[in-house]
Amino acid sequence: MSNNETKENTMQDRRGLLIILSSPSGAGKSTLARRLMTWDESLKFSVSATTRAPRPGEEHGREYFFQTEDEFKQQVMDGEMLEHAHVFGNFYGSPAGPVRDTIVSGQDVLFDVDWQGEIQIRNSDLGKHALSIFILPPSIRELRRRLETRAQDSDDVISKRMLKSWDEISHWGYYDYVLINDDLDDTEAKLKTIIEAERMRRIQQPALQRHVRTLQTEFEELS
Ligand code: ADP
Ligand code: 5GP
C-alpha cells in the first residue's frame, strides 16, 4: 500500500464529532456557528425542532423545524430525539437520525443547544464523540447590548433572555472548552484550533487500527 493510499483510507475512516456550542443567548454562538460552516463546508448543522414561532428571516428546515407541541411530543415518544429540553417556555430537540448518519460518514455535526442538551448528548451512546464548547460574553453589559443590537426580539423577550442568562452561564463547568467571545475573529480562530485538534483524537480515527496492523506486518517482515 502506498503512502497516499494509506492517507486516503485513514481520512475516509474518520468518525465525525458532535460539536456542541452553548452560551447565554446573545453571546455569539449562532454567528460563530455560521462562520465555522463557511470555513468548512463539510460541517453539518444539526437543525433542531422547536415549538417556538419563527423569527423574521428564519426558514423551516434551515434554522429550525417549526412544529406544534403535539408533533414535537410525538417525536419524543417515538424515540426520535437525541436530546430535548424546555427553554424559554418552548420545547427544543435534536433529531437523532441525521446525526448518526453524518458521523458514521466521517463528517462532524454542529449543535447549538443549551446546557441540558449538552448533558444529554454527553450521556447518550454517541457521547464519546462529543466535543463541547461554552461561549462566555466579555461582560453582562455587553451581552445585553448584543441582544439589543441584534434587534430580533421584543423588549419583553430580551428581558426574559437576560434573566435566564445566569442560569446558562452557571453551567459553564460542564464543558470541555470555554471561550470568552470578546473579539469575534479571535474566538473563531480558537474554535478552529480546538476542532482541528479534536478531530485527531484516537477514537475519531478508527482506521488507525488498520494502519497499525499494516505497520506490524511490515515490522515482522523486516525483522
Ligand atoms: P446567540 O446565537 O448566542 O444568541 P448571536 O450570534 O445571534 O448570539 O449574536 C448576538 C449579536 O451579537 C449579533 O448581532 C452578533 O452579530 C453580535 N456579536 C456576536 N459576537 C460578537 C463579538 N465578538 N463582538 C461584537 N458583537 C458580536
Ligand atoms: P433561540 O430560540 O434563541 O433560537 O434558542 C434559545 C435557546 O435554545 C438557545 O440557548 C439554544 O442553544 C437552545 N436550543 C436550540 N435548539 C436546541 C435543541 O435542540 N436542544 C436544546 N437542548 N436546546 C436548544
Side-chain angles (χ1 to χ4, degrees):
M1 193 185 287
S2 74
N3 273 351
N4 271 351
E5 272 171 332
T6 311
K7 194 171 164 203
E8 210 173 290
N9 287 338
T10 306
M11 306 250 302
Q12 274 168 3
D13 284 333
R14 189 168 88 76
R15 187 60 39 100
L17 288 165
L18 284 77
I19 304 170
I20 305 165
L21 284 184
S22 303
S23 76
S25 191
K29 63 188 171 313
S30 318
T31 308
L32 289 162
R34 276 195 298 274
R35 285 184 170 214
L36 286 178
M37 286 185 299
T38 308
W39 164 64
D40 182 347
E41 287 177 359
S42 76
L43 273 176
K44 291 270 176 286
F45 183 67
S46 169
V47 181
S48 298
T50 182
T51 58
R52 89 151 158 74
R55 293 190 187 121
E58 285 184 334
E59 250 178 51
H60 180 80
R62 192 179 62 191
E63 281 80 11
Y64 284 104
F65 295 109
F66 297 99
Q67 296 185 334
T68 63
E69 227 172 277
D70 284 347
E71 286 167 339
F72 188 94
K73 286 180 176 164
Q74 189 61 49
Q75 270 197 280
V76 173
M77 279 197 304
D78 293 344
E80 287 171 12
M81 293 295 190
L82 181 60
E83 62 76 35
H84 61 96
H86 199 237
V87 190
F88 304 128
N90 293 296
F91 291 102
Y92 293 83
S94 310
V99 178
R100 293 187 193 284
D101 295 346
T102 306
I103 67 159
V104 167
S105 77
Q107 286 170 282
D108 306 320
V109 183
L110 194 58
F111 293 82
D112 172 343
V113 299
D114 79 337
W115 64 271
Q116 304 174 81
E118 195 266 355
I119 292 177
Q120 292 174 53
I121 293 171
R122 188 164 289 291
N123 291 334
S124 76
D125 61 316
L126 300 180
K128 55 183 181 293
H129 300 295
L131 157 64
S132 67
I133 305 156
F134 195 88
I135 309 292
L136 283 172
S139 68
I140 299 298
R141 214 177 273 276
E142 171 64 7
L143 183 68
R144 179 158 198 116
R145 192 198 65 78
R146 288 184 192 170
L147 277 176
E148 285 167 356
T149 51
R150 186 168 71 181
Q152 280 185 335
D153 299 302
S154 64
D155 286 353
D156 188 40
V157 171
I158 290 179
S159 298
K160 222 162 122 190
R161 284 170 189 267
M162 282 304 293
L163 279 176
K164 271 284 284 174
S165 66
W166 188 252
D167 179 40
E168 190 67 25
I169 291 173
S170 69
H171 294 91
W172 68 281
Y174 290 119
Y175 288 73
D176 297 320
Y177 295 86
V178 180
L179 299 176
I180 301 172
N181 179 24
D182 195 349
D183 179 79
L184 203 46
D185 291 340
D186 181 49
T187 311
E188 181 188 353
K190 285 176 178 154
L191 275 174
K192 291 175 184 172
T193 303
I194 293 168
I195 292 170
E196 281 177 335
E198 293 279 328
R199 281 174 173 169
M200 286 184 272
R201 264 168 21 186
R202 178 168 45 82
I203 195 169
Q204 298 308 122
Q205 301 188 69
L208 280 180
Q209 287 216 343
R210 196 171 60 228
H211 182 65
V212 173
R213 272 200 303 273
T214 311
L215 290 180
Q216 187 183 8
T217 309
E218 193 185 352
F219 183 78
E220 285 163 1
E221 282 166 6
L222 291 177
S223 359

